[in-house]
Amino acid sequence: MSATSIPGTAIPATAAPDTTHPDADRERDRWAASADAWDRWADPMADLADKLNRPLLDAAGLTEGHRLLDLASGAGEPALSAARRAGEDGLVVGSDLVPGMMAGAIRRARSVEGPAPAFTAADMTALPFADGAFDGVTCRFGIMFLPTVESALREVRRVLRPGGKAAFMVWGPRAGNGLFAEIGAAVADHLGEDGSLDPLFRFAEPGQLSTLMRSAGFVETSETELTPVRKAPAGQPFWRAALDMSFGHRLGALSVGERRDLEADIARRFDAQAVDGIVPVPSHSRIVAGW
Ligand SMILES: C[S@@+](CC[C@H](N)C(=O)[O-])C[C@H]1O[C@@H](n2cnc3c(N)ncnc32)[C@H](O)[C@@H]1O
């Protein structure tokens, strides 16, 4: 399957995002400014990404031959992993509000051997798909950026077939996510606090997203906590991908010297936590699934 066509369905290959959404411009600007960084880091981070993708795809009930819609796919996670699992008889459609973010996803899909997703621009609050078009819907680290989560959940329900499953991955508390906690503190010290990390932790408390899903008509929901601890090598810039991807919209304003000082500070913070040359980096995410 090609990266740009969606054969055998009524789904349009390209669709304009909903520009009437009140905060569409702000979201588009934020992600458009980070798109290059997401593309650059997508391949080096693919193995780590797949470790999170697998339980998310399990929660969405994805098996061979299924039709799955991935929302807010960014540079292609988990859409690329999903297409491999859905196989030649399945269909995976990746989508995102920001075409620039999907440039990396489309590039990666073109170089895949075997089943690849199709990609199309779509605002998840106004999806350009028919009722009941999909067996499953996934969204990895995207639902928290919507001012009107309820409208997105209603749209997800609409495009799911009866009995279909949706699975969302969200971040747990900031303190349980070592990369965000340390890098965010260093960026705040050097550049000032702008609150741009705050939306990531909007569904940090258990039950928040499940409650919204049930209000939107999901009859049953489940939550699963993922709390792996990565063992990162001290003295290595394992944190640079997170810095570039999470703060790409702010780093452009730094001079070379300011960037060097910020990175040296981040390195010092992590190295101070090393035990026998290993920095333990905890992460806390949650899968919220609904039928
Ligand atoms: C943190 S990235 C997640 C990307 C990818 N799913 C991943 O986990 O690597 C958040 C994504 O949400 C997208 N996004 C924000 N608002 C959206 C909306 N209303 N509809 C669809 N996507 C949106 C952004 O463009 C961005 O690509």
Side-chain angles (χ1 to χ4, degrees):
M1 187 179 301
S2 85
T4 50
S5 66
I6 310 173
T9 81
I11 300 165
T14 55
D18 176 10
T19 51
T20 62
H21 193 284
D23 283 296
D25 287 345
R26 189 170 55 83
E27 283 302 321
R28 211 182 312 277
D29 289 350
R30 169 200 175 108
W31 295 106
S34 310
D36 285 352
W38 281 75
D39 186 2
R40 200 166 54 249
W41 284 107
D43 290 327
M45 301 298 286
D47 287 347
L48 271 180
D50 195 51
K51 288 195 175 119
L52 289 177
N53 294 345
R54 274 184 263 139
L56 180 62
L57 300 178
D58 290 345
L62 178 64
T63 58
E64 221 172 315
H66 269 196
R67 296 159 65 97
L68 181 112
L69 172 64
D70 183 44
L71 301 168
S73 303
E77 308 296 352
L80 286 128
S81 303
R84 281 196 295 279
R85 193 187 287 199
E88 296 290 354
D89 294 333
L91 170 72
V92 173
V93 179
S95 64
D96 200 283
L97 176 72
V98 178
M101 282 295 282
M102 276 190 311
I106 291 168
R107 173 189 64 73
R108 297 173 76 203
R110 285 197 177 123
S111 66
V112 157
E113 280 178 28
F119 287 100
T120 186
D123 183 335
M124 66 173 108
T125 63
L127 291 171
F129 306 114
D131 295 2
F134 295 98
D135 300 303
V137 173
T138 49
C139 181
R140 200 186 92 150
F141 303 132
I143 190 81
M144 56 279 260
F145 299 107
L146 299 187
T148 56
V149 173
E150 293 83 351
S151 55
L153 293 175
R154 277 195 299 273
E155 279 293 84
V156 169
R157 242 199 96 211
R158 182 182 66 74
V159 302
L160 276 175
R161 68 162 167 76
K165 264 177 109 174
F168 299 90
M169 186 171 273
V170 297
W171 291 111
R174 185 189 299 231
N177 282 288
L179 278 175
F180 295 129
E182 292 301 338
I183 297 172
V187 169
D189 282 355
H190 287 247
L191 287 161
E193 179 59 79
D194 76 342
S196 61
L197 269 193
D198 294 348
L200 273 71
F201 308 107
R202 180 169 171 190
F203 295 118
E205 293 306 316
Q208 287 175 308
L209 184 52
S210 289
T211 301
L212 289 177
M213 287 177 77
R214 286 195 296 273
S215 302
F218 287 85
V219 287
E220 205 176 317
T221 56
S222 69
E223 302 207 350
T224 309
E225 308 292 318
L226 304 177
T227 55
V229 179
R230 183 174 161 195
K231 294 183 174 63
Q236 299 294 318
F238 58 85
W239 38 264
R240 192 168 278 137
L243 173 66
D244 282 351
M245 293 158 83
S246 302
F247 292 99
H249 62 295
R250 302 192 73 191
L251 297 177
L254 293 180
S255 68
V256 172
E258 287 169 334
R259 169 93 187 218
R260 191 187 50 230
D261 290 348
L262 170 63
E263 294 205 351
D265 187 9
I266 294 170
R268 259 194 310 275
R269 287 169 191 256
F270 282 114
D271 285 349
Q273 299 170 22
V275 179
D276 296 333
I278 298 294
V279 182
V281 186
S283 78
H284 185 169
S285 53
R286 175 176 305 114
I287 296 171
V288 185
W291 292 257

